Amino acid sequence: MRYSQILLLTKMENMKCKMKKVLKECRWLLLALFTICIYSCKDESNTGEGVFDPSKPVVISDFTPKDGGAYQKLLISGENFGTDVSNVKVTIGGREAVVINVKNNYIYCFVPSGAFSGEIEVTVGEGENTVTTVASTAFEYQKKMVVGTLCGYRNNRDDQGWRDGPFDGPDNVRCCGFSNTGRLAFDPLNKDHLYICYDGHKAIQLIDLEKRMLSTPLNINTVPTNRIRSIDFNKAGKYATEAQYMIVSIDYDGQGNTSPSVYIIKRNSDGTFDDRSDIQLLAAYKQCNGATIHPINGELYFNSYEYGQVFRLNLDDYFETIESGQNWNANVTQNSAFKQLFTIADPSWEFQIFIHPTGKYAYFGVINNHYFMRSDYNEVTKEFVTPYTVAGGYKVSGYKDDVGTSARMNNPCQGVFVRNKEYAGQEDEYDFYFVDRLNFCVRKMTPDGIVSTYAGRGTTTAIADNNQWGTDDGDLREVARFRDVCGIVYDEDKNIFYIHDEVGHTIRTISMEEEETTESNE
């Protein structure tokens, strides 16, 4: 099938999905309008019914729909509600709902976040004239993925600085920082250890999810720059065990074509990485934007901003040299173990490499020119081949959910592949989630190249200040807002995304809603 046909089919499928959503919304609105019209006619025929009477009971006769999640529109029908919105309070599952409109026989509101028990309670009146009633049946609350804040903060003066410490506590105790463009990486041997490096802060920090602590174990003073661009870990092989080494790339050109580009750091005997760890220069060229390990075969792929070059190194060549007692020549131009595969485009292309979990292809996220390329993996030569554009506009920034090259993005940064259960048995079972930095959101790209907005740019919260960016947690699209998001990883076991919000100076999460407990964290 031709690519143009695929684009047409995916566009049609996308339109069908949108139409289904619109039709579903229209059915609800028609039901609401129909109900409103009926009760409005009743009110017109008997104006006395429009006044709340505290001597009479408030009655809930029905509500629709019967189930849904946070920010679901809810229509409650009954009697003696009055017509004053300020005089009516609705709680669902113990959480106060936003009441939009009230007539004597109905209440129009939104289901609040965290309304887990679903008990609907309506209170009308004030002081001694308050009347409360509870619906005979509960609303079936459906949990959904929501945005939260894990750690970090930004005060009103934005002078909180950098501080290691606990996630929780007052501003002068809890951790803060996260103020430069960052990239995240899980320790493959301990998913409670999340590392973050920065382009502009000379340290690698550890976010300990179990202890809820931020620390800075790697200050790596031997590195000649504060532009640390990526973190990855080796695969198990003939000479090394799984994740025995951390692979760190830096962006530096102070020594011409022999500038340090990629370092290899050996894990300590106690399983940690810190300033005691052995660090060696693995590759030297210039201006490296990122280094990535092939998830199946373990090769190292890294790049240069200079001409958009992509280099390959079989790590076994490095380990064999070290094991034999020889010195490793890290100079890319002088060591035949390094191979330049191709250039992706013109000079000065800032990009990073994200390899599919199967190793069959990789996406190259071209940050400063706002698009993604795809490179397929040659199983015979064990090399990635020259890439082609799959999503976004070549040198064209913008914001648009669409298919392939019709989609628009602005500074796409880190991305992660996430298995989609609905794709089980298909050739590609993964969606690709990425942070669209200057569009302040998390986007999703399907294997067919359909780009959509997954979280951020809150539909309702943006109304207040007319900004798509902010710090709001909550419903993925209705409420949540980010600001200059640049890092993202995903924990498949826990179904949690971790996101670096650069301007918010926080680590945000996307996870399933959880009921609050009364247990103390102390």
Side-chain angles (χ1 to χ4, degrees), residues 362-380:
Y363 285 140
F364 295 173
V366 187
I367 300 170
N368 60 340
N369 282 308
H370 323 295
Y371 67 99
F372 280 95
M373 305 183 81
R374 170 172 165 155
S375 175
D376 295 315
Y377 187 72
N378 187 320
E379 297 284 355
V380 177

Side-chain angles (χ1 to χ4, degrees), residues 194-323:
L194 177 59
Y195 288 97
I196 181 170
C197 65
Y198 305 93
D199 184 3
H201 185 67
K202 193 176 180 179
I204 294 177
Q205 294 190 292
L206 171 62
I207 302 166
D208 192 319
L209 302 173
E210 181 182 22
K211 297 179 180 179
R212 296 181 61 82
M213 289 286 295
L214 174 71
S215 61
T216 307
L218 282 162
N219 291 284
I220 46 180
N221 294 319
T222 56
V223 172
T225 178
N226 62 0
R227 302 197 66 187
I228 305 173
R229 301 304 300 270
S230 68
I231 300 171
D232 208 345
F233 298 85
N234 73 291
K235 300 300 296 181
K238 181 179 179 181
Y239 299 98
T241 59
E242 182 76 12
Q244 186 178 355
Y245 295 89
M246 178 186 287
I247 309 297
V248 177
S249 69
I250 67 169
D251 198 332
Y252 184 62
D253 65 354
Q255 299 172 28
N257 289 350
T258 62
S259 301
S261 295
V262 184
Y263 284 91
I264 184 166
I265 305 175
K266 188 175 182 180
R267 191 186 292 268
N268 298 323
S269 58
D270 62 359
T272 63
F273 291 99
D274 58 27
D275 289 334
R276 300 171 299 159
S277 302
D278 178 53
I279 179 170
Q280 299 294 329
L281 182 62
L282 184 61
Y285 187 69
K286 64 162 63 173
Q287 299 173 297
C288 182
N289 302 147
T292 306
I293 298 295
H294 192 285
I296 306 301
N297 295 326
E299 305 116 17
L300 170 68
Y301 293 87
F302 62 101
N303 68 357
S304 174
Y305 174 83
E306 182 191 29
Y307 296 119
Q309 306 102 309
V310 174
F311 300 99
R312 175 191 183 275
L313 171 67
N314 185 341
L315 277 182
D316 282 348
D317 290 337
Y318 167 78
F319 290 126
E320 284 176 1
T321 302
I322 300 302
E323 287 287 327

Side-chain angles (χ1 to χ4, degrees), residues 18 57 69 112 125 130-131 174 189 299 305 309 323 325 335 394 456 504:
K18 289 181 179 179
T130 298
V131 181
R174 59 182 171 141
L189 303 187
E299 305 116 17
Y305 174 83
Q309 306 102 309
E323 287 287 327
N335 188 338
Y394 176 78

Side-chain angles (χ1 to χ4, degrees), residues 21 71 73 399 453 455-469 472 475-481:
K21 183 178 179 181
Y71 305 97
K73 304 173 185 69
Y399 172 74
T453 303
R457 300 172 65 91
T459 302
T460 55
T461 50
I463 295 173
D465 54 18
N466 200 33
N467 291 323
Q468 276 72 49
W469 50 267
D472 311 86
D475 183 88
L476 297 183
R477 293 306 315 280
E478 289 290 333
V479 176
R481 291 191 290 178

Side-chain angles (χ1 to χ4, degrees), residues 118-155:
E119 182 182 68
I120 300 175
E121 181 180 282
V122 173
T123 300
V124 186
E126 296 179 334
E128 296 180 356
N129 294 323
T130 298
V131 181
T132 299
T133 189
V134 177
S136 58
T137 58
F139 175 79
E140 188 175 331
Y141 186 79
Q142 298 171 346
K143 295 180 181 180
K144 60 168 64 175
M145 297 289 279
V146 294
V147 173
T149 298
L150 177 70
C151 60
Y153 68 95
R154 175 176 176 162
N155 62 31

Side-chain angles (χ1 to χ4, degrees), residues 392-410:
Y394 176 78
K395 289 189 177 183
V396 180
S397 63
Y399 172 74
K400 184 182 181 184
D401 287 341
D402 211 320
V403 181
T405 55
S406 296
R408 292 292 177 264
M409 51 198 74
N410 193 352

Side-chain angles (χ1 to χ4, degrees), residues 51-162:
V51 179
F52 166 64
D53 186 347
S55 66
K56 295 181 179 180
V58 172
V59 178
I60 299 174
S61 58
D62 199 4
F63 59 88
T64 186
K66 303 300 182 186
D67 56 44
Y71 305 97
Q72 168 74 54
K73 304 173 185 69
L74 190 70
L75 190 70
I76 303 171
S77 55
E79 299 175 10
N80 201 26
F81 297 144
T83 58
D84 185 355
V85 172
S86 65
N87 207 36
V88 176
K89 178 182 178 182
V90 177
T91 62
I92 304 173
R95 300 293 186 93
E96 187 168 354
V98 175
V99 177
I100 303 301
N101 198 6
V102 175
K103 292 294 182 182
N104 201 42
N105 300 98
Y106 75 86
I107 299 171
Y108 174 40
C109 65
F110 289 102
V111 175
S113 175
F116 300 110
S117 72
E119 182 182 68
I120 300 175
E121 181 180 282
V122 173
T123 300
V124 186
E126 296 179 334
E128 296 180 356
N129 294 323
T130 298
V131 181
T132 299
T133 189
V134 177
S136 58
T137 58
F139 175 79
E140 188 175 331
Y141 186 79
Q142 298 171 346
K143 295 180 181 180
K144 60 168 64 175
M145 297 289 279
V146 294
V147 173
T149 298
L150 177 70
C151 60
Y153 68 95
R154 175 176 176 162
N155 62 31
N156 292 333
R157 300 177 303 279
D158 194 15
D159 62 356
Q160 63 286 329
W162 294 76

